[in-house]
Amino acid sequence: MIIEPRMRGFICLTAHPDGCAQNVKNQIKYVTSKGKIEGAKRVLVIGASTGFGLASRITSAFACDAATIGVFFEKPPAEGKTATPGWYNSAAFEKDATAAGLYAKSINGDAFSSEIKEQTIELIKKDLEQVDLVIYSLASPVRMHPATGILHRSVLKPIGQTFSNKTVDFHTGNVSQVSIEPANQDDIDNTVVVMGGEDWSMWINAMKEAGVLADGFQTLAYSYIGPEVTEAVYRKGTIGRAKDHLEATAFQITDMLADVNGKAYVSVNKALVTQASSAIPVIPLYISLLYKIMKASGIHEGCIEQMQRLYQERLYNPSGIALDDKGRIRIDDWEMREDVQNQVAALWKIATTENLGEIGDLAGYKQDFLNLFGFGFEGVDYKADANEMTLIPSI
Ligand code: NAD
């Protein structure tokens, strides 16, 4: 079928299999151009189909020659109805990895459930015996708790007082004022249950019990800090509480891993256009200003550049892993540079619907958003018939 983008708010209802395949190929090409990295050879990526998780899987495979298992929650295609982009990304990744002689298998289902954990552990036992690295890169608005059966919903709200600031509708470029009412205690608790560290800890615990963690095992989850303008709704809001919990969980997991000489880390990554970040108020305006400044300074990175640098210069740096005063890996260092932040803060004050096209990189934002769904790639014939029924070989 001929597949075109159909936008609805923060999502696009369609995805293009060939465009998603091109996206994966471009990321593989980038990683390959940077050379090999001496790293883990057996890797599990939880949240492996889009954003930072996909880029981590590609870096593990194509820079470290790792066998990878990817877990994600994507919608498969039906006749005349496209799959979600993570499905097509994973189909393309598996094909490219297998063609390069690398083991790659995937599991599609709810990572928060005990069933998917068990299924993953069984696959590891059968095919890889153990894993050396687990990347935990889930971003989800809901979590069904496996012990209670309660469905928890995360919210993106400030804590304590109403937050008012500028935001942009990135489809129209309309800059407006947004006001978000403060969260109540239930909102905070639910967001911590969904996006905090409990599920990460449950994964590692289940894997440890099953004996599938190799000696010297490492695990990594992703966090975000960001600037003052987004602080009330991000780092000091409900999602920030969940990230505080995630970061604290790393230390508990490290304690749990003592007998396999293992370690858990949180890496603070850069703000990027992904399906998760597009849904957060205020962040798209910040990202469009940030992109403009970082591109002008020659320090802009996408998910793949971030993950390649994370592996090469942090995780597998022969001189050791540099950590901040809170024990976190920082790969948001270029975003948080004082000169970058000062320039963004100055632009923030003057940003309007009329000038955003010029002072911000709204075009870059839109392009990245289209790319998430496999649209807008050079080398893809969007007028040609595409096979919406593209399948993931191992599923
Ligand atoms: P994303 O939306 O691109 O990816 C989320 C992944 O989680 C997908 O693979 C999806 O299939 C999977 N997933 C969601 N719910 C699932 C479930 N129930 N079971 C199995 N898989 C499920 O998100 P992203 O932006 O790459 O975020 C990944 C992590 O990075 C998050 O912790 C996020 O907070 C963090 N982070 C994001 C940014 C940013 O700007 N995007 C910056 C710093 C840190």
PDB file of all heavy atoms in Angstrom, residues 284-295:
ATOM      1  N   PRO A 284       9.021  20.437  23.772  1.00  0.00           N
ATOM      2  CA  PRO A 284       9.255  20.682  22.336  1.00  0.00           C
ATOM      3  C   PRO A 284       9.772  22.095  22.028  1.00  0.00           C
ATOM      4  O   PRO A 284      10.611  22.268  21.151  1.00  0.00           O
ATOM      5  CB  PRO A 284       7.876  20.429  21.706  1.00  0.00           C
ATOM      6  CG  PRO A 284       7.240  19.430  22.613  1.00  0.00           C
ATOM      7  CD  PRO A 284       7.682  19.837  23.987  1.00  0.00           C
ATOM      8  N   LEU A 285       9.304  23.094  22.784  1.00  0.00           N
ATOM      9  CA  LEU A 285       9.806  24.457  22.544  1.00  0.00           C
ATOM     10  C   LEU A 285      11.274  24.534  22.966  1.00  0.00           C
ATOM     11  O   LEU A 285      12.120  25.072  22.246  1.00  0.00           O
ATOM     12  CB  LEU A 285       8.966  25.477  23.325  1.00  0.00           C
ATOM     13  CG  LEU A 285       9.418  26.934  23.188  1.00  0.00           C
ATOM     14  CD1 LEU A 285       9.431  27.389  21.736  1.00  0.00           C
ATOM     15  CD2 LEU A 285       8.544  27.868  24.019  1.00  0.00           C
ATOM     16  N   TYR A 286      11.582  23.953  24.104  1.00  0.00           N
ATOM     17  CA  TYR A 286      12.970  23.930  24.575  1.00  0.00           C
ATOM     18  C   TYR A 286      13.855  23.209  23.553  1.00  0.00           C
ATOM     19  O   TYR A 286      14.923  23.706  23.186  1.00  0.00           O
ATOM     20  CB  TYR A 286      13.046  23.232  25.943  1.00  0.00           C
ATOM     21  CG  TYR A 286      14.457  22.912  26.361  1.00  0.00           C
ATOM     22  CD1 TYR A 286      15.351  23.926  26.704  1.00  0.00           C
ATOM     23  CD2 TYR A 286      14.912  21.589  26.377  1.00  0.00           C
ATOM     24  CE1 TYR A 286      16.661  23.632  27.060  1.00  0.00           C
ATOM     25  CE2 TYR A 286      16.211  21.288  26.742  1.00  0.00           C
ATOM     26  CZ  TYR A 286      17.088  22.313  27.078  1.00  0.00           C
ATOM     27  OH  TYR A 286      18.382  22.019  27.414  1.00  0.00           O
ATOM     28  N   ILE A 287      13.385  22.063  23.060  1.00  0.00           N
ATOM     29  CA  ILE A 287      14.198  21.292  22.115  1.00  0.00           C
ATOM     30  C   ILE A 287      14.418  22.086  20.819  1.00  0.00           C
ATOM     31  O   ILE A 287      15.525  22.095  20.280  1.00  0.00           O
ATOM     32  CB  ILE A 287      13.563  19.906  21.814  1.00  0.00           C
ATOM     33  CG1 ILE A 287      13.672  18.987  23.051  1.00  0.00           C
ATOM     34  CG2 ILE A 287      14.232  19.233  20.615  1.00  0.00           C
ATOM     35  CD1 ILE A 287      13.151  17.566  22.861  1.00  0.00           C
ATOM     36  N   SER A 288      13.388  22.787  20.343  1.00  0.00           N
ATOM     37  CA  SER A 288      13.618  23.495  19.077  1.00  0.00           C
ATOM     38  C   SER A 288      14.629  24.631  19.242  1.00  0.00           C
ATOM     39  O   SER A 288      15.404  24.906  18.323  1.00  0.00           O
ATOM     40  CB  SER A 288      12.333  23.965  18.390  1.00  0.00           C
ATOM     41  OG  SER A 288      11.344  24.249  19.290  1.00  0.00           O
ATOM     42  N   LEU A 289      14.665  25.264  20.407  1.00  0.00           N
ATOM     43  CA  LEU A 289      15.680  26.310  20.636  1.00  0.00           C
ATOM     44  C   LEU A 289      17.061  25.670  20.842  1.00  0.00           C
ATOM     45  O   LEU A 289      18.069  26.116  20.299  1.00  0.00           O
ATOM     46  CB  LEU A 289      15.304  27.153  21.855  1.00  0.00           C
ATOM     47  CG  LEU A 289      13.965  27.910  21.748  1.00  0.00           C
ATOM     48  CD1 LEU A 289      13.626  28.594  23.058  1.00  0.00           C
ATOM     49  CD2 LEU A 289      13.991  28.933  20.611  1.00  0.00           C
ATOM     50  N   LEU A 290      17.071  24.568  21.599  1.00  0.00           N
ATOM     51  CA  LEU A 290      18.328  23.862  21.882  1.00  0.00           C
ATOM     52  C   LEU A 290      18.981  23.349  20.589  1.00  0.00           C
ATOM     53  O   LEU A 290      20.194  23.489  20.388  1.00  0.00           O
ATOM     54  CB  LEU A 290      18.037  22.683  22.815  1.00  0.00           C
ATOM     55  CG  LEU A 290      19.242  21.824  23.200  1.00  0.00           C
ATOM     56  CD1 LEU A 290      20.109  22.545  24.235  1.00  0.00           C
ATOM     57  CD2 LEU A 290      18.790  20.474  23.781  1.00  0.00           C
ATOM     58  N   TYR A 291      18.171  22.752  19.726  1.00  0.00           N
ATOM     59  CA  TYR A 291      18.697  22.221  18.459  1.00  0.00           C
ATOM     60  C   TYR A 291      19.371  23.332  17.655  1.00  0.00           C
ATOM     61  O   TYR A 291      20.428  23.136  17.064  1.00  0.00           O
ATOM     62  CB  TYR A 291      17.548  21.648  17.611  1.00  0.00           C
ATOM     63  CG  TYR A 291      17.218  20.186  17.858  1.00  0.00           C
ATOM     64  CD1 TYR A 291      17.461  19.583  19.081  1.00  0.00           C
ATOM     65  CD2 TYR A 291      16.644  19.414  16.851  1.00  0.00           C
ATOM     66  CE1 TYR A 291      17.132  18.252  19.297  1.00  0.00           C
ATOM     67  CE2 TYR A 291      16.325  18.078  17.055  1.00  0.00           C
ATOM     68  CZ  TYR A 291      16.565  17.503  18.280  1.00  0.00           C
ATOM     69  OH  TYR A 291      16.244  16.177  18.480  1.00  0.00           O
ATOM     70  N   LYS A 292      18.717  24.501  17.627  1.00  0.00           N
ATOM     71  CA  LYS A 292      19.255  25.618  16.840  1.00  0.00           C
ATOM     72  C   LYS A 292      20.660  25.983  17.343  1.00  0.00           C
ATOM     73  O   LYS A 292      21.600  26.105  16.567  1.00  0.00           O
ATOM     74  CB  LYS A 292      18.310  26.821  16.976  1.00  0.00           C
ATOM     75  CG  LYS A 292      18.693  28.016  16.161  1.00  0.00           C
ATOM     76  CD  LYS A 292      18.256  27.853  14.735  1.00  0.00           C
ATOM     77  CE  LYS A 292      18.418  29.136  13.954  1.00  0.00           C
ATOM     78  NZ  LYS A 292      17.813  29.027  12.631  1.00  0.00           N
ATOM     79  N   ILE A 293      20.779  26.113  18.657  1.00  0.00           N
ATOM     80  CA  ILE A 293      22.063  26.513  19.255  1.00  0.00           C
ATOM     81  C   ILE A 293      23.103  25.401  19.073  1.00  0.00           C
ATOM     82  O   ILE A 293      24.242  25.661  18.671  1.00  0.00           O
ATOM     83  CB  ILE A 293      21.897  26.789  20.779  1.00  0.00           C
ATOM     84  CG1 ILE A 293      20.831  27.854  21.034  1.00  0.00           C
ATOM     85  CG2 ILE A 293      23.224  27.157  21.424  1.00  0.00           C
ATOM     86  CD1 ILE A 293      21.146  29.198  20.479  1.00  0.00           C
ATOM     87  N   MET A 294      22.716  24.168  19.354  1.00  0.00           N
ATOM     88  CA  MET A 294      23.700  23.077  19.289  1.00  0.00           C
ATOM     89  C   MET A 294      24.133  22.796  17.851  1.00  0.00           C
ATOM     90  O   MET A 294      25.298  22.483  17.598  1.00  0.00           O
ATOM     91  CB  MET A 294      23.155  21.811  19.973  1.00  0.00           C
ATOM     92  CG  MET A 294      23.024  22.005  21.484  1.00  0.00           C
ATOM     93  SD  MET A 294      22.580  20.507  22.409  1.00  0.00           S
ATOM     94  CE  MET A 294      24.146  19.664  22.572  1.00  0.00           C
ATOM     95  N   LYS A 295      23.215  22.930  16.904  1.00  0.00           N
ATOM     96  CA  LYS A 295      23.601  22.736  15.499  1.00  0.00           C
ATOM     97  C   LYS A 295      24.556  23.846  15.058  1.00  0.00           C
ATOM     98  O   LYS A 295      25.560  23.588  14.402  1.00  0.00           O
ATOM     99  CB  LYS A 295      22.362  22.707  14.599  1.00  0.00           C
ATOM    100  CG  LYS A 295      21.609  21.377  14.668  1.00  0.00           C
ATOM    101  CD  LYS A 295      20.381  21.345  13.765  1.00  0.00           C
ATOM    102  CE  LYS A 295      19.621  20.030  13.947  1.00  0.00           C
ATOM    103  NZ  LYS A 295      18.355  19.967  13.198  1.00  0.00           N
TER     104      LYS A 295
END
